[in-house]
Amino acid sequence: MDFNRKELCRYLGLGNNPPDEQTDKLIDLVTAELEQKVTPRFAEAELSLERNGDKIILGGENGMVITSRNLSVNLEGCEKVLIFCATLGPAPDLMIKRCSLTSMAKAAVVQAAGSAMIEAYCNQINRDFEQRYKGVYFLRPRFSPGYGDFALEHQRDFFRLLGIEKKLGIELSDSLLMTPGKSVTAVIGLTKERKGCNISQCALCDKKDCAFRLE
């Protein structure tokens, strides 16, 4: 699976600094093993969109009702949305658990590699969506529950609307965490307006001191 090595290092907390030789070799070892074991899968649906200020309704009266300024800005000018859930399967979680018993350094690299890989997988899904809607819609940056003021409680709506537990085998805890952990839910706006489609997610987030903020 293609992934951004710089993103992996960023998740390790290295910022723009290159890893030392030992860490570099550990990254190679971990990513090679993970690439053989991950089982990427996703589920998606196209939904109608209604916006009234910060109030957003996806999928009509039986869909998802959201109050979010950040998401509303992201979806300005959109006619519809895609919602999706993507996962790498249980392999990263199992590998993290196993490595944490013998090497916390390796467990940290597995954690970072899994995060970089799920990001890369979501980017691939985005590219596939772009090809599907080419000539019809442009895609806005994907936006996930828990990001900005998009409440994490809406994870339950994603599970209900996409049938995530049945289709992908992902469970949602009472604290709204997904298992397997390397799983992502997101909204993508569909618009006929080209302007604004390359806005970074970070530009829409109020958390300016985030360690993972993209420059």
Side-chain angles (χ1 to χ4, degrees):
M1 175 186 292
D2 291 334
F3 65 93
N4 190 320
R5 197 178 181 91
K6 288 184 178 180
E7 284 291 285
L8 191 160
C9 291
R10 189 170 64 88
Y11 284 120
L12 273 177
L14 297 177
N16 293 320
N17 300 313
D20 58 37
E21 184 178 353
Q22 184 177 1
T23 303
D24 199 47
K25 290 180 179 178
L26 191 55
I27 289 172
D28 288 339
L29 180 70
V30 164
T31 54
E33 185 176 347
L34 265 181
E35 285 176 330
Q36 292 180 350
K37 293 183 176 181
V38 295
T39 52
R41 299 171 64 201
F42 78 99
E44 49 99 357
E46 181 183 298
L47 301 177
S48 62
L49 167 66
E50 298 175 53
R51 289 175 60 250
N52 185 4
D54 294 347
K55 183 178 180 180
I56 304 156
I57 302 174
L58 307 182
E61 61 180 27
N62 295 319
M64 191 184 314
V65 181
I66 304 161
T67 301
S68 168
R69 178 182 61 85
N70 296 143
L71 182 58
S72 184
V73 170
N74 180 275
L75 296 178
E76 185 175 357
C78 293
E79 298 180 1
K80 299 179 180 180
V81 299
L82 287 166
I83 63 170
F84 78 93
C85 177
T87 183
L88 297 182
D93 288 359
L94 294 173
M95 196 168 166
I96 291 167
K97 185 176 181 179
R98 186 180 74 246
C99 291
S100 65
L101 299 175
T102 57
S103 172
M104 291 307 297
K106 186 174 182 180
V109 173
V110 177
Q111 183 73 256
S115 296
M117 286 182 179
I118 188 63
E119 182 74 9
Y121 183 47
C122 288
N123 289 341
Q124 180 59 59
I125 292 170
N126 260 85
R127 289 191 290 271
D128 291 343
F129 287 154
E130 287 172 356
Q131 287 301 310
R132 180 196 299 178
Y133 289 98
K134 189 174 182 179
V136 181
Y137 288 116
F138 297 104
L139 273 63
R140 288 289 165 84
R142 61 181 180 269
F143 212 99
S144 295
Y147 196 92
D149 62 356
F150 185 8
L152 195 59
E153 285 78 6
H154 290 293
Q155 292 285 47
R156 296 190 180 95
D157 292 320
F158 279 85
F159 270 68
R160 174 175 56 86
L161 294 170
L162 292 175
I164 290 172
E165 186 168 3
K166 183 177 180 180
K167 290 180 181 178
L168 302 179
I170 302 172
E171 296 181 353
L172 187 66
S173 72
D174 291 339
S175 56
L176 305 173
L177 298 177
M178 290 186 285
T179 303
K182 299 309 176 186
S183 304
V184 169
T185 56
V187 175
I188 299 175
L190 300 176
T191 177
K192 292 183 178 177
E193 300 176 4
R194 188 181 187 88
K195 182 179 179 181
C197 291
N198 293 319
I199 295 174
S200 165
Q201 284 186 322
C202 292
L204 301 173
C205 181
D206 295 327
K207 190 170 175 57
K208 305 299 182 184
D209 60 345
C210 177
F212 303 116
R213 186 175 181 83
L214 297 174
E215 297 298 327

